[in-house]
């Protein structure tokens, strides 16, 4: 699988196809030295290839020597970013991209990848332009189709998908390449072919356009994060199935080492492949050294790689389409509409931005992350404060997170209710609906309660969340009856306002059976 896919994905990245072999040889060996996953197969992957094309197509002509050098340099930038994240134990940053962002981006990117390969699969020389526009032109100009290319693409797709129905380990990609080579040689295929593939080991070099590093930092970091989502998901899934531990930090380092090896050997950014990892597991791989075996096999094949020269590019295009078409999933995007309108907005915006900003799709990822953070902050800011008047008692029950940005909502609610009910004598603030209270939130709560007490009101704070007791004790002070009860609870004393919940999920009331304010 790796050799044919590496050729196709190098073409997708805008590089000569044989560069894919360089990205498939040493990187699996380097990754195996540090990987924590037993099965992860490293090499060229579709998403990273498209991101590479998007980052470099504006800097140099596609397939030019300068473009090739930039691709290798980008791999080094990606590798350094991943190694740094792993060494700093920052594997958790991979989760900064929420599910809506990943779903929207993946679906949009899969559409772009498919669109980019349609002209190749149809044997059409589409005019220059945006990826979707070129694909639409190719599909609608039926008279321009090259029948031999269409036939080869159809056979390739049939072998890949049909082979999976026969058996999960059926070598559909390899069979398609073999059929394409035989067809090209025996029939005399006249369309575009892979062309010259130099035989020999990958060239190791540091002669790269280092002056372009500043322009590659942002796309490199984006690829380091986005491209890590897939191998992280693969490693986590199989580790759970095998009941084995895995380390995202080690995985970051292993994928970083793989990219450094790819950059130094004339390749381009690489990642973990879900399809090849699945085949590795099904075929009996039991340790991280199975990836190293794959790399050694590719190194050996490089000595005779010239046999691939007559391979039709239509076969490569169809291989890419077959690999990513299942990633085009609109159903999860539609489900977000039912589950959460804000998250649906994030997902659909990321999806649309991926299509609109192509080929600079790394900007769509940044936009999606920014929008996701904004939606999160917007939800956190919405501190809902429910109020209830019982005679001369005003009850306030904030729900959400009380922090520096949402704290003013509590003060506004108190002032509004006091203005509407000037005969209020007692204020009860029930904090049981808060998920978190930070230091600034505690300061704001103190200011609100102090103002109410100075106005002659009797103030009580009840339902303190266990995780907020310490900060409230420090901020409000021990003169508060509630907090004296909280402190004493650790010594066996009971306070009705901080009593732990019973097994039925209710708070026990004080002696006499009367429920405490906000305590039931």
């Amino acid at each position: 699988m790796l050799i044919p896919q590496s050729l196709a994905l190098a073409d997708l990245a805008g590089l000569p196809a044989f560069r894919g072999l360089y990205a498939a040889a040493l990187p699996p060996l380097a990754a195996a030295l540090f990987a924590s996953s037993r099965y992860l197969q490293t090499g060229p992957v579709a998403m990273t290839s498209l991101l590479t094309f998007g980052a470099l197509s504006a800097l140099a002509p596609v397939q030019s020597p300068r473009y090739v050098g930039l691709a290798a340099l980008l791999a080094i930038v990606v590798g350094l970013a991943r190694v740094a994240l792993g060494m700093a134990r920052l594997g958790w940053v991979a989760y900064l991209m929420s599910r809506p962002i990943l779903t929207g981006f993946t679906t949009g990117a899969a559409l772009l990848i498919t669109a980019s390969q349609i002209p190749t699969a149809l044997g059409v020389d589409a005019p220059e332009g945006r990826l979707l526009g070129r694909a639409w032109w190719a599909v609608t100009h039926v008279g321009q189709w090259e029948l031999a290319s269409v036939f080869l693409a159809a056979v390739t797709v049939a072998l890949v998908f049909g082979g999976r129905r026969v058996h999960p380990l059926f070598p559909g990609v390899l069979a398609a390449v073999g059929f394409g080579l035989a067809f090209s040689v025996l029939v005399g295929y006249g369309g575009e072919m892979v062309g010259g593939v130099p035989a020999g080991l990958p060239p190791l070099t540091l002669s790269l356009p280092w002056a372009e590093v500043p322009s590659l930092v942002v796309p490199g970091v984006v690829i380091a994060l986005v491209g890590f989502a897939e191998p992280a998901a693969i490693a986590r899934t199989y580790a759970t199935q095998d009941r084995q531990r895995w380390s995202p930090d080690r995985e970051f380092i292993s994928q970083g080492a793989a990219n450094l090896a790819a950059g130094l050997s004339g390749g381009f950014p690489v990642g973990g492949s879900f399809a090849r990892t699945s085949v590795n597991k099904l075929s009996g791989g039991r340790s991280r050294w199975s990836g190293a075996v794959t790399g050694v096999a590719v190194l050996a094949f490089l000595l005779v790689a010239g046999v691939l020269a007559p391979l039709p590019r239509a076969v490569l295009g169809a291989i890419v389409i077959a690999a990513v078409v299942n990633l085009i999933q609109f159903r999860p995007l539609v489900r977000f509409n039912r589950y959460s309108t804000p998250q649906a907005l994030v997902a659909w915006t990321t999806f649309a931005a991926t299509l609109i900003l192509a080929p600079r799709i790394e900007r769509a990822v940044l936009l999606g992350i920014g929008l996701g953070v904004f939606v999160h902050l917007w939800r956190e800011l919405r501190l809902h404060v429910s109020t209830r008047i019982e005679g001369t008692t005003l009850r306030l029950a904030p729900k959400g997170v009380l922090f520096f940005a949402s704290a003013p909502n509590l003060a506004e609610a108190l002032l509004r209710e006091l203005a509407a009910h000037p005969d209020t004598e007692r204020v009860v603030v029930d904090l049981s609906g808060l998920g978190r209270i930070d230091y600034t939130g505690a300061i704001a709560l103190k200011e609100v309660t102090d103002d109410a007490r100075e106005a002659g009101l009797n103030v009580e704070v009840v339902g303190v969340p266990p995780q907020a007791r310490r900060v409230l004790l420090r901020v409000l002070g021990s003169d508060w009856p509630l907090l004296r009860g909280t402190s004493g609870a650790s010594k066996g004393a009971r306070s009705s306002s901080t009593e732990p919940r019973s097994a039925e999920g209710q708070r026990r009331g004080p002696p006499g059976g009367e429920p405490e304010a906000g305590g039931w």
Side-chain angles (χ1 to χ4, degrees), residues 361-383:
I361 59 175
E362 76 278 2
R363 297 175 179 176
V365 176
L366 297 176
L367 177 63
I369 293 176
L371 182 59
V373 172
F374 173 79
V375 168
H376 174 73
L377 291 177
W378 175 74
R379 295 182 66 180
E380 296 284 86
L381 284 170
R382 297 179 64 197
L383 182 69

Side-chain angles (χ1 to χ4, degrees), residues 103-117:
T103 302
F105 173 74
T106 301
T107 301
L111 271 175
L112 292 174
I113 293 171
T114 302
S116 71
Q117 299 304 303

Side-chain angles (χ1 to χ4, degrees), residues 506-520:
Q506 295 179 335
R507 194 182 303 279
R508 298 174 183 172
E514 287 295 322
E516 183 192 8
W520 285 70

Side-chain angles (χ1 to χ4, degrees), residues 379-387 396-402 406 409-410 413 416 430 433-434:
R379 295 182 66 180
E380 296 284 86
L381 284 170
R382 297 179 64 197
L383 182 69
H384 176 70
V385 183
S386 60
T387 60
L396 301 176
K399 294 182 180 179
V401 176
L402 186 63
S406 64
N409 294 353
L410 181 60
R416 183 179 63 250
D430 182 4
L434 294 178

Side-chain angles (χ1 to χ4, degrees), residues 271-297:
S273 166
F274 187 87
R276 296 196 299 270
T277 300
S278 176
V279 168
N280 180 38
K281 186 175 188 296
L282 288 172
S283 61
R286 289 293 177 268
S287 78
R288 57 196 171 105
W289 300 111
S290 59
V293 171
T294 305
V296 170

